[in-house]
Coordinates of all heavy atoms in Angstrom, one line a residue:
N130 N -5.6 40.4 68.1 CA -6.4 39.7 67.2 C -5.5 38.8 66.2 O -5.7 37.6 65.9 CB -7.4 40.5 66.5 CG -8.8 40.4 66.9 OD1 -9.0 39.5 67.7 ND2 -9.6 41.2 66.4
D131 N -4.5 39.5 65.6 CA -3.6 38.9 64.6 C -2.7 37.8 65.2 O -2.6 36.8 64.6 CB -2.8 39.9 63.9 CG -3.6 40.8 63.0 OD1 -4.7 40.5 62.8 OD2 -3.0 41.9 62.7
S132 N -2.3 38.0 66.4 CA -1.3 37.0 67.0 C -2.0 35.9 67.7 O -1.6 34.7 67.7 CB -0.4 37.7 68.0 OG -1.1 38.3 69.0
L133 N -3.1 36.1 68.4 CA -3.9 35.1 69.2 C -5.1 34.7 68.7 O -5.7 33.7 69.1 CB -4.0 35.7 70.7 CG -2.8 36.2 71.4 CD1 -3.0 36.5 72.8 CD2 -1.8 34.9 71.5
G134 N -5.7 35.4 67.7 CA -7.0 35.0 67.1 C -8.1 35.7 67.6 O -8.1 36.4 68.6
H135 N -9.3 35.5 66.9 CA -10.5 36.2 67.3 C -11.0 35.8 68.6 O -11.6 36.6 69.3 CB -11.6 36.0 66.2 CG -11.4 36.8 64.9 ND1 -11.7 38.2 64.8 CD2 -11.0 36.4 63.7 CE1 -11.4 38.7 63.7 NE2 -11.0 37.7 63.0
S136 N -10.9 34.6 69.1 CA -11.4 34.1 70.3 C -10.6 34.9 71.4 O -11.4 35.4 72.4 CB -11.1 32.6 70.4 OG -11.6 32.2 71.8
A137 N -9.4 35.0 71.3 CA -8.7 35.8 72.4 C -9.1 37.3 72.2 O -9.2 38.0 73.4 CB -7.1 35.8 72.1
G138 N -9.3 37.8 71.1 CA -9.7 39.2 71.0 C -11.1 39.4 71.6 O -11.4 40.5 72.2
D139 N -12.0 38.4 71.4 CA -13.3 38.5 72.0 C -13.2 38.5 73.6 O -13.9 39.2 74.3 CB -14.2 37.4 71.6 CG -14.7 37.6 70.1 OD1 -14.5 38.6 69.6 OD2 -15.2 36.5 69.6
Q140 N -12.4 37.6 74.0 CA -12.1 37.6 75.6 C -11.6 38.9 76.1 O -12.0 39.3 77.1 CB -11.1 36.4 75.8 CG -11.6 35.0 75.8 CD -10.6 34.0 76.2 OE1 -10.0 34.2 77.2 NE2 -10.5 33.0 75.4
L141 N -10.7 39.5 75.3 CA -10.2 40.8 75.7 C -11.2 41.8 75.8 O -11.3 42.6 76.7 CB -9.0 41.2 74.8 CG -8.4 42.6 75.0 CD1 -7.8 42.7 76.4 CD2 -7.3 42.9 73.9
L142 N -12.1 41.9 74.8 CA -13.1 42.9 74.7 C -14.1 42.7 75.9 O -14.5 43.7 76.5 CB -13.9 42.8 73.5 CG -13.1 43.3 72.2 CD1 -13.8 43.0 70.9 CD2 -12.7 44.8 72.3
R143 N -14.4 41.4 76.2 CA -15.3 41.3 77.3 C -14.7 41.7 78.7 O -15.4 42.3 79.5 CB -15.7 39.7 77.5 CG -16.7 39.3 76.5 CD -17.3 37.9 76.8 NE -16.3 36.9 76.5 CZ -16.2 36.2 75.4 NH1 -17.1 36.4 74.4 NH2 -15.3 35.3 75.2
Q144 N -13.4 41.4 78.8 CA -12.8 41.7 80.1 C -12.6 43.3 80.2 O -12.8 43.9 81.2 CB -11.4 41.1 80.3 CG -11.6 39.5 80.4 CD -10.2 38.9 80.5 OE1 -9.3 39.5 81.1 NE2 -9.9 37.7 80.0
V145 N -12.3 44.0 79.1 CA -12.2 45.4 79.0 C -13.5 46.1 79.4 O -13.6 46.9 80.2 CB -11.7 45.8 77.7 CG1 -11.9 47.4 77.6 CG2 -10.2 45.6 77.5
A146 N -14.6 45.5 78.8 CA -15.9 46.0 79.2 C -16.3 45.8 80.7 O -16.7 46.8 81.3 CB -17.0 45.2 78.3
Q147 N -15.9 44.7 81.2 CA -16.2 44.5 82.6 C -15.2 45.5 83.5 O -15.8 46.0 84.5 CB -15.8 43.0 83.1 CG -16.7 42.0 82.5 CD -16.2 40.6 82.6 OE1 -15.2 40.4 83.2 NE2 -16.9 39.7 82.0
R148 N -14.0 45.8 83.1 CA -13.2 46.7 83.9 C -13.7 48.1 83.8 O -13.8 48.8 84.8 CB -11.8 46.6 83.3 CG -11.0 45.3 83.7 CD -9.6 45.4 83.3 NE -8.9 44.1 83.6 CZ -7.6 43.9 83.4 NH1 -6.7 45.1 83.0 NH2 -7.0 42.8 83.6
I149 N -14.1 48.5 82.5 CA -14.7 49.9 82.4 C -15.9 50.0 83.3 O -16.1 51.0 84.0 CB -14.9 50.2 81.0 CG1 -13.6 50.3 80.2 CG2 -15.6 51.6 80.8 CD1 -13.8 50.5 78.7
E150 N -16.8 49.0 83.2 CA -18.0 49.1 84.0 C -17.8 49.2 85.5 O -18.4 49.9 86.3 CB -19.0 48.0 83.7 CG -19.9 48.1 82.5 CD -21.0 47.1 82.5 OE1 -20.6 45.8 82.5 OE2 -22.2 47.4 82.4
S151 N -16.8 48.4 85.9 CA -16.5 48.4 87.3 C -16.0 49.7 87.9 O -16.1 49.9 89.1 CB -15.4 47.2 87.6 OG -14.1 47.6 87.1
C152 N -15.4 50.5 87.1 CA -14.9 51.8 87.6 C -15.8 52.9 87.4 O -15.4 54.1 87.7 CB -13.5 52.0 87.1 SG -13.4 52.4 85.3
M153 N -17.0 52.7 86.8 CA -17.9 53.8 86.6 C -19.2 53.7 87.6 O -19.4 52.6 88.1 CB -18.4 53.8 85.2 CG -17.3 53.9 84.1 SD -16.2 55.4 84.3 CE -17.4 56.7 84.2
R154 N -19.9 54.8 87.7 CA -21.0 54.7 88.6 C -22.2 54.1 87.8 O -22.2 54.0 86.6 CB -21.4 56.2 89.0 CG -20.3 56.9 89.8 CD -20.6 58.3 90.0 NE -20.8 59.0 88.5 CZ -21.1 60.2 88.3 NH1 -21.3 61.0 89.4 NH2 -21.3 60.8 87.1
G155 N -23.2 53.7 88.5 CA -24.3 53.0 87.9 C -25.1 54.0 87.1 O -25.8 53.6 86.1
S156 N -25.0 55.3 87.3 CA -25.7 56.2 86.5 C -25.1 56.7 85.2 O -25.7 57.3 84.4 CB -25.9 57.5 87.3 OG -24.7 58.1 87.7
D157 N -23.8 56.3 85.1 CA -23.0 56.6 83.8 C -23.3 55.6 82.7 O -23.4 54.4 83.0 CB -21.5 56.6 84.0 CG -21.2 57.7 85.1 OD1 -21.8 58.8 85.1 OD2 -20.2 57.6 86.0
L158 N -23.5 56.0 81.4 CA -23.8 55.1 80.4 C -22.4 54.7 79.8 O -21.5 55.4 79.6 CB -24.4 55.9 79.3 CG -24.6 55.2 77.9 CD1 -25.4 54.0 78.0 CD2 -25.1 56.2 76.8
V159 N -22.3 53.3 79.7 CA -21.1 52.6 79.2 C -21.7 51.8 78.1 O -22.5 51.0 78.2 CB -20.4 51.8 80.2 CG1 -19.2 51.1 79.6 CG2 -20.0 52.6 81.4
A160 N -21.1 52.0 76.8 CA -21.6 51.3 75.7 C -20.4 50.9 74.8 O -19.3 51.5 74.8 CB -22.6 52.2 74.9
R161 N -20.6 49.9 74.0 CA -19.6 49.5 72.9 C -20.2 49.9 71.5 O -21.3 49.5 71.1 CB -19.4 48.0 72.9 CG -18.3 47.6 71.9 CD -18.2 46.1 71.8 NE -17.3 45.6 70.8 CZ -17.4 44.5 70.1 NH1 -18.4 43.6 70.3 NH2 -16.5 44.2 69.1

């Protein structure tokens, strides 16, 4: 966030969320 800015931080959080969801089962709760 500090080096690349909030926009990059937001992109990172979106991609992390997608990666976590992709490796879990549909029945597992994934939340932020």
Side-chain angles (χ1 to χ4, degrees):
N130 252 353
D131 292 345
S132 60
L133 300 181
H135 281 288
S136 177
D139 288 349
Q140 289 184 43
L141 176 59
L142 290 172
R143 279 193 291 268
Q144 293 183 34
V145 168
Q147 291 167 3
R148 290 190 185 184
I149 294 175
E150 274 196 303
S151 69
C152 71
M153 302 305 299
R154 302 168 304 180
S156 60
D157 297 326
L158 172 66
V159 180
R161 180 188 176 211

